[in-house]
Amino acid sequence: MVSRGVGRYRRGRPDGSMSPPDVIVVGSGFGGAVTAARLAQRGLRVLVLERGPWWGPAGAEQPRTDRRAFPRGAWGVRKLVRSVRWARGRAARDILLNADGLVEVHSFEHLDVVTGSGVGGGSLIYTNVLEAPDDDFFAAFPPELSAGEVRPYVDRVRALLRPVPLPAPLPDKNRAFERAAIAAGLGAPRYPELAIRFGRSPAASEPALNAAGVLQSTCTYCGSCVLGCPTRAKTTMDLTYVPVALRHGAELRPLCEVVAVGHDGGSYQLRYRDHRSGALHQVAAPRVVLAAGSMNTMRLLFQARDRHRTLPQVSRALGRRFSPNADVLGLVLGTPLIADGGEGPALNSFVRIEHEGHLRFIVGEVGLPLAALPVGGRLRRGIARATGLIAMGRDASTGAIEYDGRGLRSSVGRALDPGLFDDIERTLDRVALPYRARRVWLNAPNGRGAPRLGTVHPLGGCAVGRTSEDGVVDHRGQVFGCPGLYVADGSLYPRSPGVPPSLTIAALAERQAALME
Amino acid sequence: MHAGAHGVEPFPAVDPRSLSRSSRAQLDALFASLPAPEPSALDGDLRGTQIDLAGLERLPHRVRAALLAVLRAPAGPWRGKRLSGGRGTNVWGVGPLRRTFAQFRVAAAPAVDGSGRCVQLDYDVPENPLPLRGILGEVRTLGPGLFLGRMHYRAGSGRTCLLYFTLEA
């Protein structure tokens, strides 16, 4: 069955009451949306609790209380930041600015983490790249989980998201990046698959149903990908897996943030705050999937283990094997080679830097979301002659997230793998040179060589392991010692892949849903 | 049909504001239905909110709601409780200032209404002034990291339930 819209969520009974759910999924990003869809297809009663609202055109059919326009313009920008979780030195504060904001910032001693919030989770603000990691990445997983074993699940994700590489003709910024990469001796960039619908021309919209039966438009090359696609061209979770889940009877509650997890007899209890009314509610189910994003999944488990003591059996490995995926951003400012740095999909090509036949890191070009920024005049013209270079790498993945009884803390920074970060900065410098820029700002906004890093890919912390000694969950994503409690997000990663992690998170969620009893 | 903003909320509300709309009889029934926590589950700082006070049930609904809103207000002096190793105290404060006052012993014991086990907070300890020693608290688990409690006052052989409160870890 196909429908042109996303669909509304429904209640189970005509009187408005709901049957007790079989599964509660916390979060609706790459892990949560996939798990919810596949479990609902199996006939299970699925409840999805999502802390953020429906965003942009995908929310058009939802009630006004549940949807928001993407933060645009001088007034709309107030909805950009949802919350800041600050934990530096002795200071620690959780500042909730807007429960309906788009991004959350975690600021640790030497690391800033930016994550998305809303129906669709990280897919709302990611750069559309669906890239499978190299086969050797799976050596860090238990033997049940190999590259070959995961491949069919990767194919399932591809079948629903239908990713394709950027078609010709290429925007100016791509040609500039190609020349720069070749001049730096790194060879021609490769064009990975992007979860975007492209038409014959960016100037003409060609709406059509996607693989989930939802109407999507085509990319206008506005470059706003990382602040939410305004045209429904980006194939996000709220346009694919979430509608599949809803169509199969799942209920999704937006603006409902889970604040505590417990266990009572045969079922898991969740306490959540409905940000629309301000009320706290409780709901229970025999199975719970935590897919709240690495930081929030870790926080919920730490609270359950150490503060509420409702799940004291959670592994002591919680928080370990954390990685920022060696994200490093460089800004190339004032280059004569680019007239519009915001043209085209944000990140659509990269070069691989290998060491002894293994991936060490990638360097790609990421355009700035100029169309979405509330700037004009000279400033806008100045920014238009700028672009970003982004690196992701296979760092040591030996970082730790800790819990001080109130919130998360971490000392992860450049010291996690200084050799790698130095190497990345040197390479970014080489790639930036041919741009003949007025200024190159490496490791922005912290600066070259700074101990402080920023990442949009917090990974690990609830790592897949063989036993509870070396991991928090087993190969099916089930928390050791907690039957029925699963984790399905980036926190599963036992090491950094060095490429965008979205495809693998979704594929592992496909596998989890297939294996869940 | 849309859930949450319209229609009946299918999942029970457990925040202090929602609970304070319950009558005393409803709170008694809720308390009787809850499981007892392990005393050690209460260890640490718990944020407290008063949700009911004896005598208010006879007041008009709006007056009662207004008085309870004042009692729940974040600016109120009672901040909660601090428990550790079988002992506890109440935390009071205005703004950033904090003081502890009114201590108690913590132990698992039968509830005074015969509804089964609960965690008892017994104020009959030598550190307290005499008038406080008649207080007996009872706490049960409302949800993960969330507890419902009530305070009785012992006078002779009788006991009067003075108030209900929530504690949040």
Side-chain angles (χ1 to χ4, degrees), chain A residues 8-11 15-18 21 47 63 65-66 251 253 260-262 269-272 274 276-283 307-310 406, chain B residues 1-18 35 40-47 141-147 168-169:
Chain A
R8 286 195 188 183
Y9 49 96
R10 67 170 180 84
R11 286 172 183 272
D15 66 355
S17 63
M18 186 197 171
L47 171 67
T65 50
D66 299 352
E251 181 182 359
R253 294 191 158 229
V261 182
Q269 290 182 316
L270 299 182
R271 186 162 82 251
Y272 68 89
D274 186 333
R276 296 165 297 186
S277 65
L280 285 168
H281 296 275
Q282 266 179 199
V283 59
R307 187 168 167 197
H308 301 152
R309 300 181 191 89
T310 49
R406 306 299 300 176
Chain B
M1 189 170 181
H2 170 241
H6 312 289
V8 182
E9 171 59 55
F11 306 124
V14 291
D15 58 296
R17 185 177 172 192
S18 303
S40 62
L42 294 162
D43 280 357
D45 283 357
L46 302 168
R47 188 168 68 241
T141 303
L142 191 52
L146 185 65
F147 306 94
E168 192 174 354

Side-chain angles (χ1 to χ4, degrees), chain A residues 291-309:
Chain A
S294 299
M295 309 310 293
N296 291 309
T297 290
M298 270 190 279
R299 187 160 46 83
L300 287 170
L301 285 175
F302 268 122
Q303 278 179 343
R305 190 188 72 182
D306 299 343
R307 187 168 167 197
H308 301 152
R309 300 181 191 89

